[in-house]
Amino acid sequence: MEINGLPLHALVVHAAVVLGPLAALAGLLHAAVPRWRDWLRWPLVGLAAVALVSIWVAYLSGEQVEEANTYGGPLEPLLEEHEERAEVLRLSMTAFAVASFAAAWWHTRTGVLRTVLRLLVGATAILTLVYVVLTGDAGAQIAWYGTNG
């Protein structure tokens, strides 16, 4: 998977690193600020959808980068850590997107369902935000290994 000679993973991770946190922040605002909830629901769905696609493409293209390269020695533990974090990120982003879509779809509901959806959006947004940072950090350590010496 390449675009103009560059690995797709190296290109798409930038979208994931920008759009994942933007979607998560929109989700947190949606969950925490009731008067913004109706206004934010469709931008949240749009951001969550694009972030979900970018994170999945980054995940799948990352597997191909690993298969195409032989990592070893000191990079192996860094790669394993990056992969483990990417797996959690992929799952948390999927849960966040589903919760966001459900909250937007059932935005007129009241009571327990609305509260549960709001809490799910907020909790999965926090998890996604944390794992975007952790996964990105682990990936950057691999990319920049040995350059700060």
Side-chain angles (χ1 to χ4, degrees), residues 3-4 8 15-16 24 28 34 44 56 75 82 84 97 130 138:
I3 294 178
N4 204 22
L8 179 61
L28 288 172
L44 172 60
W56 269 86
L75 288 179
H82 181 61
E84 289 170 6
V130 167

Side-chain angles (χ1 to χ4, degrees), residues 2-84:
E2 292 183 354
I3 294 178
N4 204 22
L6 293 172
L8 179 61
H9 186 72
L11 299 171
V12 77
V13 295
H14 292 90
V17 166
V18 171
L19 297 172
L22 276 176
L25 291 174
L28 288 172
L29 288 172
H30 181 272
V33 185
R35 69 174 189 256
W36 291 0
R37 204 165 285 142
D38 283 342
W39 179 83
L40 268 176
R41 75 179 187 273
W42 295 120
L44 172 60
V45 166
L47 279 170
V50 176
L52 178 66
V53 169
S54 69
I55 286 171
W56 269 86
V57 171
Y59 179 83
L60 295 171
S61 64
E63 287 182 341
Q64 288 193 339
V65 168
E66 180 193 10
E67 290 170 7
N69 294 292
T70 53
Y71 294 99
L75 288 179
E76 191 64 34
L78 294 173
L79 180 64
E80 287 177 20
E81 181 178 27
H82 181 61
E83 287 177 330
E84 289 170 6

